[in-house]
Each structure stands twice: as C-alpha cells, then as structure tokens.
Amino acid sequence: MDDGRVATFERVERDGVAVHTVPSIFEACGVGVAFSERTGGVSVGPYASLDLAGHVGDDPESVDRNRDLLFESVGIALLRDVLTTAEQVHGTQVAEVTRDVAGCGALVEGGRSPLKGVDTLWTRERGIPLMLMYADCVPVVLVRPSVPAAAVVHAGWRGLAGGVVRAAADAMGGLGGEDDLIAFVGPHIGACCYEVGRDVVSHFESRFATIAAASFHLDLGAVVTQELVRSGVPEGRQCHLGICTAHNTDRFFSHRAEGQTGRHGALAVIL
Ligand SMILES: [Zn+2]
C-alpha cells in the first residue's frame, strides 16, 4: 500500500507450489487471496503438474491430491473438506456459499458436486474456501473488507459479454456499509496472445471504448477493468497481476497455447 495502490501481490513458493497472494488484505480484514501457478503438483503429461480441475480429463486422484498440496502450501489444510467449487459454464449466475453448501465440489472423486450452472461464488462465512479454475479466462477475486465478504469470479469473453463481473459486484453490493469493494485480477491470456474472430470482437466494440473494432486481439484485462469501474470499483481499487498465461506456460496453464491442458486456481477464504 506504500506505492499508492490499494494492495500489491506477493509471490510465495512453498514445497514447489507457488501462489500469488495479497498479504495486506489478509492483515486488514482476514481475507486470504491466492492465485496458483502450475508447479509442485503430481499430475503428468499435459496436466503437469498442479492441475486443480476435475473436468479436463486428468486423473481424479491426482487432482484431489493437487488440491491437498495447494491447501497445505497456503496453510489451510484443515479447511480442505469444506472447499467449495462451481461448475463454471461461462454464464453469469452467482451463488452465495453458506454452511449448507460448503464442501460442494471439494473432491473430484466422491462427495457432493460443484454448484451447478454457477460462475461466481461468494461468501461472508468464515472458514469456507472458494475456488474456481482457469486456463486463460480471467480470475477475479472481489473483497469487501467492511463485512468482510469475498467472491471468486470466472470471467471468459462470454461471461464478460453477459455481465458476469457486474452480477458478482451487485451480489456483494446489497450488504449495506461503505462502498469498499476491492478487486484482484489474476493471470489470464493477454491481448498479445488472444486473437479472436470478428464475431467475438463485435460483442465488445460498441460498449468498450478501449476495444478497437479493427483489432482481432481482444484485451480481456481492459474489458475487466472497465466492467469493474462500471460496477463501482475504480481503477485505484483494482490490482492486476498482469501476467499472460499463454506467454508463460512454464508457470500457468493456457488452453489457447496448449489445447489439452490443466487448470490453475483462484482461491479466496475469510479466516
Ligand atoms: Zn501473451
């Protein structure tokens, strides 16, 4: 917070598992935020090695073990059973995670399913870790320190075109108190590597001044920035990690660069 920004990321590596965390937010309101890298896990082949997703063809036991390793690395192994995940369908549906659904999707093998049809999870309960999985799409974590409350958002181009960021901010906005949302934007594919068709650009050119109609490189980060501003999170309250997944396949999974691959994660928990 010294350089004028609301918070800054810190890369922490423990037992080969690397995450990008935000220590100042944890100190301020007890919300832990972590964006994982792909190293330090047990998955092999295209999923090497810390693949966290159960739906991309990896061995389920390996994925569950990788989730164990991530939780051990960030010091919340005791909360592994109540990890809550979502189906992620590139939609805009938001789910508030309360005690009765805690643990849905914790395990790939066995247990209750991830929350169906949902692309945003949020909670104001302590001790329920929320996690969504990504390989190029934009991971957004929203924190409202005054409650405290935290959300994890899965934002690909379809979700962004549909208003997934706004829906997430709105869900957390009805809590009263000050308008103090802070946004953390994790690793995602950069405009450098995200060439798209005319049809995709057409969803954005009219609503986003920064998206040039003539360009076939879609800047998802710029779209997220603007969507956050429109949702009441000014740029001064946004922290962007600014790493392109496709440019850094040694550290992150990239569907665009690799095709069949694993998923890294965005994790938020109120402790
Ligand atoms: Zn790139």
Side-chain angles (χ1 to χ4, degrees):
M1 299 197 185
D2 299 326
D3 56 0
R5 281 185 286 177
V6 67
T8 47
F9 290 103
E10 184 176 311
R11 186 177 182 276
V12 181
E13 190 173 337
R14 199 172 293 143
D15 301 326
V17 174
V19 296
H20 297 262
T21 63
V22 190
S24 60
I25 283 298
F26 182 68
E27 284 156 24
C29 65
V31 176
V33 177
F35 298 99
S36 67
E37 296 195 2
R38 70 185 288 175
T39 56
V42 299
S43 291
V44 295
Y47 309 107
S49 61
L50 197 80
D51 172 29
L52 300 171
H55 65 283
V56 293
D58 194 0
D59 167 43
E61 259 182 59
S62 299
V63 175
D64 281 332
R65 180 67 190 134
N66 288 337
R67 291 178 177 182
D68 296 346
L69 292 168
L70 173 64
F71 272 54
E72 284 162 21
S73 171
V74 299
I76 56 169
L78 289 174
L79 302 177
R80 176 66 178 84
D81 292 347
V82 284
L83 163 65
T84 307
T85 67
E87 191 184 11
Q88 301 181 223
V89 295
H90 295 278
T92 60
Q93 197 180 315
V94 178
E96 179 174 5
V97 177
T98 51
R99 288 274 150 209
D100 54 316
V101 294
C104 284
L107 295 171
V108 176
E109 250 183 347
R112 290 188 289 170
S113 306
L115 295 178
K116 274 228 169 311
V118 166
D119 281 88
T120 295
L121 296 172
W122 77 275
T123 192
R124 43 192 147 166
E125 293 272 1
R126 290 183 190 277
I128 304 179
L130 312 177
M131 186 171 75
L132 298 179
M133 285 69 78
Y134 310 79
D136 292 338
C137 285
V138 187
V140 182
V141 172
L142 297 174
V143 177
R144 189 179 282 285
S146 62
V147 177
V152 182
V153 186
H154 168 241
W157 78 261
R158 285 181 195 279
L160 285 166
V164 68
V165 169
R166 175 75 64 94
D170 283 354
M172 293 172 78
L175 300 174
E178 289 171 63
D179 189 18
D180 63 346
L181 267 184
I182 302 172
F184 301 96
V185 181
H188 61 86
I189 193 163
C192 42
C193 295
Y194 197 41
E195 196 172 352
V196 296
R198 184 69 246 134
D199 53 324
V200 174
V201 175
S202 70
H203 286 277
F204 297 96
E205 62 191 20
S206 58
R207 289 193 296 139
F208 296 90
T210 55
I211 303 299
S215 171
F216 290 95
H217 285 261
L218 183 59
D219 187 345
L220 292 177
V223 172
V224 167
T225 299
Q226 250 188 78
E227 279 290 272
L228 284 167
V229 169
R230 288 171 181 173
S231 307
V233 188
E235 284 191 50
R237 301 183 72 80
Q238 299 181 22
C239 305
H240 293 253
L241 188 59
I243 299 176
C244 172
T245 44
H247 252 111
N248 295 280
T249 51
D250 55 331
R251 292 165 60 198
F252 298 98
F253 297 105
S254 172
H255 183 261
R256 173 60 68 100
E258 304 174 283
Q260 186 184 16
T261 191
R263 300 289 184 271
H264 42 260
L267 185 65
V269 59
I270 309 169
L271 295 173

